[in-house]
Amino acid sequence: MAIVKCKVCGEEIEETIPKCPRCDSLGPKRGKKIRLILLCVMVVILAFLGLGFYLKMNEVEKPYEEVLKEKLDAKLSQRGLTAMLLLRSRLDNPDSMQLISSIANEDGSVLCFEFTETDVSGKKKKSRAAFVDGELNRTEAGWRLFCVGKSMRPITVKKQPM
């Protein structure tokens, strides 16, 4: 067995002893092992941090305007669905309704629908309806007043069975 000096107090001790009998410091080999383990753990942590940073850099963030547009589209779609369900409930034959087009103004206070329906006699006809601030208007004059020639945008309404 080799005899080495303690790195803390300078006492001559055997290389295999886990602690110095004089100052209780770790033995020469054990201290090296702990430092090597700590170094490996730090390298692994740094590698994970570097990988995470690299992956984050490659993500493309949406511009603020695009996020706002998506939120507005979702809001208008939800309002359109609500209005369409209300419109369906007021028809003579709700199951016959087939949506042709739906448009809305920018803030969603005006929603306009074109659709086909089957009337009481069984004839299929094309109809129009406008929702203005939550009120239903099925007259042709209301359609012209609120929907024709206005700044409107198409909205997507997911059809749901009644």
Side-chain angles (χ1 to χ4, degrees):
M1 285 189 237
I3 296 186
V4 293
K5 286 189 175 184
C6 174
K7 292 184 178 183
V8 176
C9 66
E11 177 84 16
E12 289 187 0
I13 55 173
E14 291 182 16
E15 191 178 36
T16 57
I17 292 180
K19 288 186 177 183
C20 174
R22 184 172 175 197
C23 66
D24 265 352
S25 70
L26 297 177
K29 285 191 174 181
R30 187 171 173 137
K32 288 180 184 178
K33 285 181 184 178
I34 290 178
R35 274 186 260 153
L36 182 62
I37 290 171
L38 286 175
L39 179 66
C40 289
V41 168
M42 288 175 51
V43 166
V44 168
I45 289 173
L46 287 175
F48 276 117
L49 287 175
L51 179 65
F53 182 73
Y54 174 76
L55 293 176
K56 183 75 174 167
M57 282 181 50
N58 288 339
E59 286 182 5
V60 177
E61 292 187 22
K62 293 180 184 176
Y64 183 68
E65 293 81 19
E66 191 175 326
V67 172
L68 285 179
K69 183 183 179 307
E70 286 176 359
K71 285 183 179 182
L72 179 63
D73 288 344
K75 174 183 156 187
L76 291 177
S77 179
Q78 184 61 39
R79 280 190 181 180
L81 177 62
T82 304
M84 186 185 78
L85 292 174
L86 181 62
L87 176 62
R88 269 183 143 183
S89 70
R90 302 229 177 127
L91 296 176
D92 294 330
N93 187 358
D95 295 331
S96 69
M97 180 184 172
Q98 292 182 344
L99 190 63
I100 297 170
S101 69
S102 55
I103 55 176
N105 65 351
E106 282 299 316
D107 66 353
S109 61
V110 177
L111 299 161
C112 302
F113 297 98
E114 284 186 290
F115 58 96
T116 59
E117 65 175 316
T118 306
D119 61 8
V120 179
S121 64
K123 285 192 335 184
K124 202 170 206 176
K125 66 178 185 175
K126 188 174 179 179
S127 301
R128 294 175 174 165
F131 277 88
V132 182
D133 293 325
E135 295 294 321
L136 175 63
N137 186 334
R138 290 193 62 190
T139 65
E140 192 62 32
W143 176 265
R144 276 189 248 116
L145 177 65
F146 297 114
C147 303
V148 176
K150 306 292 184 201
S151 175
M152 305 291 254
R153 58 188 273 175
I155 59 172
T156 304
V157 177
K158 292 184 173 48
K159 298 176 190 171
Q160 289 189 350
M162 199 156 174

